[in-house]
Amino acid sequence: MTRKTLSLTGAFALMLATPALADAISGATQKQATNWHAILMFAAFVLFTLGITYWAASKTKSAAQFYTAGGGITGFQNGLAIAGDYMSAASFLGISGLVYLSGYDGLIYSVGWLVGWPIVTFLIAEPLRNLGKFTFADVASFRFSQTPIRVLAACGTLVTVAFYLIAQMVGAGALIKLLFGLDYWIAVVVVGVLMILYVTFGGMVATTWVQIIKACLLLGGATFMALMVLVKFGFSPEALFSKAVEVHPKKLAIMSPGSLISDPVSAISLALALMFGTAGLPHILMRFFTVADAKAARKSVFYATGFIGYFYILTFIIGFGAIVLVSTNPEFLTDPAKGLAAIKGGSNMAAIHLADAVGGDIFLGFIAAVAFATILAVVSGLTLAGASAVSHDLYATVVKGGKANEADEIRVSKITTVVLGILAIILGIVFEKINVAFMVGLAFAIAASCNFPVLLMSMFWRGMTTKGAVIGGFLGLISAVVGVVLSPGVWEVIFGNPKGSAPVPWSNPALVSMALAFGGIWLFSKLDSSARAKVDKEGFDPQYVRSQTGIGASGASAH
Amino acid sequence: MKSWEEIERNPKFVELVSKRKSLGWTLSAVMLIIYLGFIMLVAYAPKMLGAPLGAGVTTIGIPVGIFVIVSAFILTGIYVSKANAEFDNLTRQIVEESK
C-alpha cells in the first residue's frame, strides 16, 4: 500500500494503527532469509506454552473452567492477560513503524487505543462481572427474552471475531513471511493449528497463561529496546528527538501532527469508535468473567490500563530510536541512497531492525518470536470468545433452552473452536491481499455500534425492552457494516471505484451508526407496549441490585 | 436472605449507587473531554501542538500526548482507589445486612 492509499484510507488506518502493517499485507513483502534464532526461540515459546496447555487440560473439566478458568484468575494476572490480549502485533510493529515514518502521528494512534480502558473501568467492568457468567450476552440478555438477545449478541460477537480473526491471520502470515522467512500459507497454518490446540485442550486457563507470558515477554523486550535507545542519548528525550529531526527527511514536521487527520467529522467518529469499540470487544469483555468478583475485575482493568499505556509510550521511543539507529544504517536499507523510506521489509519492520541494532542476532530472534507469540495469544482469545458465543449463547440457551448438559456444551465449544480455526486458516489464505486495517476497523466499528450500546443500555436504562434492544442493536450492526463498505477507504480504494464516488463521505461510520443504535434502542423501547416490555422493565430493579452489589452473582468455582 | 426490594430501600444501597454513579459518569466525561479535546487540537490546531516547547525541537504536542496517556491511567487509579476504600466497604455492609 502506498502512502497515497494510506491517506485515502485515512482515519480507518488511524483507528487501527496498522497502516504500516498494511504495507506488509498488500503483497509488497519479500520473503526474508530463514531466521534460525527466531525459529528456535519461537519453538521454545511454543513448547513451553504447550506444556502449560497440557497442565491446563487436566484442570479444564467443567464449563466454568473451560470458559472462564473457573473465575480463579487474580486481578493482577487478569490485568496482564488483558494487556496481552490487547497489545497486538499490529500495535507493536504498526505504531512503532508509523512513528518511524511520520513521528508524532504515531502518538495520536497510541492515545486512541488507550482511552477506551478508563470507560470500561468506570462503567462496564463491575456490573459486567456481577451479572455475567461466561459471555457478555449473559449480561445483555439478563432481564430480556433470551432467544432474540442471545442471537443478536452472538451475531455481534461472531461478526466482530470473524473480522478481527481474519485480520490477525493475514497479519500473521505476512509478518511471519518477513520475520522467519517461511511461506505465507505455512505461517497461517501454524498459527491456526497451535491456536486450536491451546483453546480446545486448555480452554481459558491455557489461553490466559499464553496471554500473560506473551505480555511479559513483549513488555520486557520493548522495555529493553527503549532503554538501549535512551542510554545512547543519556536518557535525554530532547537529545533523541533532535537527532531524529536531523536525520529524518521530514525534519521538524515529525514533531507535530501530520496530515492523517484532516476531516473533523471523521476524526470524531473515529475517536468514538476507538473509545467505545474497546468496551464492546467480546474477547476483552469475556476476560472479566475469569476473576473472582467485581473488585478483582476493577483492579484488572487498572493494571491493564497501566501496562498498555506504558507499552504505547515505549513504542513511541522505539519508533524514534529506529529513525536514529535504523534509517542511518545501510545494513537495514534496500537502497542506502534513498534513506529512511527504503527500510527492508517496509516500515513495520522498524522495531524488528531496531532489535537487531541494539541487541544483535539473538535479541532480534527474541523480538521476532515475541511478535509471532503475540498473534497466537490474540487469536486464541478471539477464538475462545467466538466458540463461547456459539456453544453458550446459541447452543445451550437458544437451541437447548438453557437445558444443555455441561459436557455437551463443552463439546460444542471445542467443535466450534476447530471449525473456527479451520475457517480462519482458509479465510486467512483466501484474503491474503486484503487490507488488514479495513478488517480490524470493521470489527471496532461493529463492537462500538452493536455490542456496546446493547450492553450499556441493558445495565443502565430501565426502559429498554427486548424489542428495542434487538432493533437498535441490528440497526447499529447493519449501519456500521454498510457505512464502512460505502466509505471512501473501501468503496474507492478496495473496490476501485473512482475517487470522490463514495456514497458516504466519512471514513468511519461510528458517529452515525452509534447514534442509530442508541436512538433505535430508545425509540423502539418507548414504542413497545407489549406484555414482554412490561416484564423487561420490571426486571430492571432486581438486576440493578445484583449489578451494584454482586448479591447472587456467580463466584469463583471450586478448584 | 432479604428480597431485592428491601436491599433497594437500604439507605446504604442508595448511598452506594448514587456515589458510584456520580463518580463513574463524571470520570467518563472527564476522559471523553480530554481525549476529544486532544483530537480537536490535532484536527483544528495542529500548529499549536507543533509549537516548540523550549529552545530545542521538543514540541508542546509531546507532553500533551503523554498527558492524555497518563491521565487515562490516573483517572482509572482515582476510581479504583475510591472504590476500594469506599464502595467495597458499603457493598460489604449491604451484603451482610441482606443476609
Side-chain angles (χ1 to χ4, degrees):
Chain A
M1 210 161 94
T2 62
R3 291 293 297 169
K4 186 157 159 275
T5 354
L6 184 68
S7 63
L8 280 175
T9 21
F12 243 116
L14 168 72
M15 165 179 214
L16 321 161
T18 46
L21 181 61
D23 282 338
I25 308 316
S26 53
T29 58
Q30 65 275 46
K31 216 170 108 180
Q32 305 284 299
T34 309
N35 180 341
W36 287 108
H37 284 296
I39 290 177
L40 278 176
M41 256 178 268
F42 180 68
F45 172 83
V46 167
L47 278 178
F48 186 59
T49 46
L50 283 177
I52 286 176
T53 307
Y54 181 76
W55 161 78
S58 66
K59 298 186 70 173
T60 305
K61 303 280 182 252
S62 68
Q65 294 286 359
F66 183 80
Y67 292 125
T68 63
I73 306 288
T74 68
F76 182 77
Q77 290 167 341
N78 195 40
L80 267 177
I82 290 173
D85 219 348
Y86 200 67
M87 298 180 300
S88 61
S91 54
F92 176 50
L93 302 176
I95 292 183
S96 51
L98 189 64
V99 173
Y100 173 82
L101 281 181
S102 319
Y104 191 80
D105 283 339
L107 190 62
I108 305 173
Y109 302 136
S110 317
V111 167
W113 277 44
L114 185 69
V115 290
W117 288 104
I119 307 292
V120 173
T121 323
F122 306 151
L123 303 178
I124 308 273
E126 293 173 59
L128 189 78
R129 178 63 191 86
N130 281 338
L131 292 173
K133 204 171 158 206
F134 298 151
T135 63
F136 89 89
D138 289 337
V139 181
S141 67
F142 196 85
R143 63 189 158 109
F144 302 104
S145 172
Q146 289 293 309
T147 301
I149 306 281
R150 294 271 177 180
V151 170
L152 169 71
C155 287
T157 299
L158 287 172
V159 174
T160 312
V161 164
F163 287 118
Y164 220 121
L165 201 53
I166 294 173
Q168 294 293 335
M169 293 302 271
V170 173
L175 284 173
I176 285 156
K177 194 161 95 177
L178 282 167
L179 299 178
F180 292 84
L182 296 173
D183 278 335
Y184 177 87
W185 73 270
I186 297 179
V188 169
V189 170
V190 168
V191 171
V193 169
L194 283 172
M195 172 257 278
I196 291 174
L197 288 177
Y198 290 141
V199 178
T200 50
F201 290 107
M204 184 53 104
V205 179
T207 303
T208 302
W209 283 104
V210 170
Q211 287 164 345
I212 291 175
I213 294 166
K214 164 250 157 142
C216 293
L217 293 175
L218 187 56
L219 286 169
T223 302
F224 176 76
M225 276 163 85
L227 279 179
M228 292 303 281
V229 169
L230 286 174
V231 160
K232 289 198 197 315
F233 293 92
F235 288 93
S236 155
E238 168 66 26
L240 169 65
F241 293 148
S242 61
K243 181 72 184 166
V245 167
E246 188 193 318
V247 301
H248 199 289
K250 291 184 185 162
K251 297 295 170 195
L252 254 179
I254 60 169
M255 298 305 295
S256 56
S259 54
L260 284 172
I261 302 185
S262 44
D263 158 25
V265 175
S266 292
I268 293 167
S269 191
L270 166 73
L272 291 175
L274 274 182
M275 215 171 178
F276 300 116
T278 304
L281 293 174
H283 62 298
I284 298 286
L285 294 173
M286 196 174 175
R287 290 231 53 90
F288 292 109
F289 304 122
T290 65
V291 292
D293 53 25
K295 183 176 183 171
R298 170 209 306 151
K299 274 190 185 163
S300 56
V301 216
F302 176 59
Y303 291 123
T305 310
F307 289 131
I308 296 169
Y310 170 68
F311 173 73
Y312 285 145
I313 293 176
L314 292 182
T315 55
F316 191 62
I317 299 170
I318 289 169
F320 269 93
I323 294 175
V324 175
L325 299 172
V326 173
S327 80
T328 52
N329 187 340
E331 198 188 314
F332 302 121
L333 305 172
T334 49
D335 180 1
K338 285 193 190 139
L340 184 124
I343 181 167
K344 278 183 191 162
S347 65
N348 54 335
M349 295 299 284
I352 304 290
H353 292 317
L354 182 67
D356 195 359
V358 301
D361 265 359
I362 309 259
F363 188 64
L364 167 72
F366 174 76
I367 287 293
V370 168
F372 198 172
T374 286
I375 291 166
L376 215 43
V378 176
V379 295
S380 301
L382 279 168
T383 307
L384 188 55
S388 310
V390 171
S391 60
H392 183 63
D393 298 329
L394 293 182
Y395 172 77
T397 312
V398 174
V399 178
K400 291 283 176 179
K403 293 185 197 71
N405 91 39
E406 210 171 286
D408 283 342
E409 190 177 326
I410 298 178
R411 191 171 317 119
V412 171
S413 199
K414 291 185 175 178
I415 294 168
T416 313
T417 302
V418 176
V419 172
L420 279 175
I422 294 170
L423 260 179
I425 292 173
I426 295 171
L427 292 175
I429 292 171
V430 170
F431 286 103
E432 182 178 350
K433 302 277 183 256
I434 200 131
N435 183 333
V436 169
F438 156 60
M439 300 302 271
V440 180
L442 202 49
F444 260 85
I446 291 164
S449 315
C450 173
N451 307 352
F452 174 71
V454 172
L455 185 63
L456 190 79
M457 297 290 261
S458 76
M459 293 192 302
F460 290 102
W461 188 41
R462 178 189 307 271
M464 182 160 101
T465 70
T466 303
K467 199 192 260 176
V470 170
I471 298 179
F474 275 111
L475 268 177
L477 203 166
I478 293 164
S479 61
V481 175
V482 171
V484 169
V485 172
L486 300 184
S487 71
V490 176
W491 189 256
E492 293 162 18
V493 178
I494 309 239
F495 295 159
N497 289 306
K499 196 167 188 284
S501 68
V504 174
W506 310 302
S507 48
N508 191 289
L511 190 60
V512 176
S513 57
M514 280 181 73
L516 277 174
F518 279 108
I521 291 172
W522 178 79
L523 181 67
F524 290 97
S525 296
K526 284 280 179 203
L527 293 177
D528 188 359
S529 56
S530 62
R532 179 70 228 182
K534 197 159 168 280
V535 177
D536 294 339
K537 288 174 196 164
E538 278 168 359
F540 182 78
D541 281 310
Q543 173 195 297
Y544 198 61
V545 168
R546 173 164 159 180
S547 79
Q548 294 294 319
T549 62
I551 293 171
S554 53
S557 69
H559 291 281
Chain B
M1 191 73 196
K2 286 190 179 166
S3 70
W4 61 263
E5 285 101 335
E6 285 170 289
I7 298 172
E8 210 172 30
R9 278 195 298 269
N10 185 339
K12 283 176 185 153
F13 180 80
V14 178
E15 189 190 345
L16 171 72
V17 166
S18 76
K19 277 190 174 161
R20 177 148 57 200
K21 223 184 198 170
S22 71
L23 182 67
W25 289 97
T26 309
L27 290 176
S28 299
V30 171
M31 188 71 252
L32 199 66
I33 289 166
I34 291 177
Y35 176 51
L36 286 182
F38 176 66
I39 293 295
M40 293 312 231
L41 279 182
V42 168
Y44 287 108
K47 291 222 162 57
M48 201 208 103
L49 290 175
L53 189 62
V57 299
T58 308
T59 53
I60 292 172
I62 304 278
V64 170
I66 304 279
F67 164 76
V68 181
I69 292 182
V70 173
S71 73
F73 182 64
I74 289 174
L75 290 177
T76 312
I78 292 173
Y79 180 84
V80 170
S81 72
K82 266 267 206 205
N84 284 349
E86 209 172 334
F87 302 164
D88 285 346
N89 202 9
L90 275 171
T91 309
R92 201 163 39 240
Q93 292 174 28
I94 296 165
V95 171
E96 254 154 46
E97 283 167 27
S98 75
K99 274 178 186 157

